[in-house]
Amino acid sequence: MEAACVEHETPLRQILARERRECVHVGLDRLNDLDRDTLVAFYFEGQSLIEMSSQFHSPVGTIKRRLHVARKRLAKELEAWRRRE
């Protein structure tokens, strides 16, 4: 039964995953340093809000706001990039 629940990696899924990664990296490259650094620290490096607060010398509330704003800016960049394709 467990084997039936396992999702197999297909070539199509691999291609789509690679395209998504490339799209995110292009969007990140288009952000300002603070937005990019904030998103990378949280999503790629797995830092907690407290760790980020220490790293960026900012209160946790500020880090939360930066994450919120940076995600919105990344979404805009991704949308603009997709429209150009």
Side-chain angles (χ1 to χ4, degrees), residues 72-85:
K72 283 188 167 199
R73 289 180 178 152
L74 178 59
K76 277 186 176 181
E77 289 298 334
L78 295 177
E79 184 62 33
W81 185 72
R82 285 183 167 231
R83 277 189 252 139
R84 284 184 281 235
E85 287 188 324

Side-chain angles (χ1 to χ4, degrees), residues 38-68:
T38 302
L39 292 172
V40 167
F42 190 74
Y43 289 105
F44 291 89
E45 297 172 0
Q47 290 185 22
S48 69
L49 295 173
I50 293 170
E51 291 169 325
M52 292 174 66
S53 175
S54 177
Q55 177 185 340
F56 293 109
H57 308 289
S58 300
V60 170
T62 300
I63 300 301
K64 288 180 180 181
R65 181 185 49 77
R66 285 182 188 166
L67 280 168
H68 177 75

Side-chain angles (χ1 to χ4, degrees), residues 11-28:
L12 178 59
R13 285 182 190 215
Q14 291 173 350
I15 290 168
L16 292 174
R18 184 175 20 138
E19 286 180 359
R20 263 192 306 275
R21 283 191 302 273
E22 289 172 5
C23 183
V24 168
H25 284 288
V26 166
L28 285 170

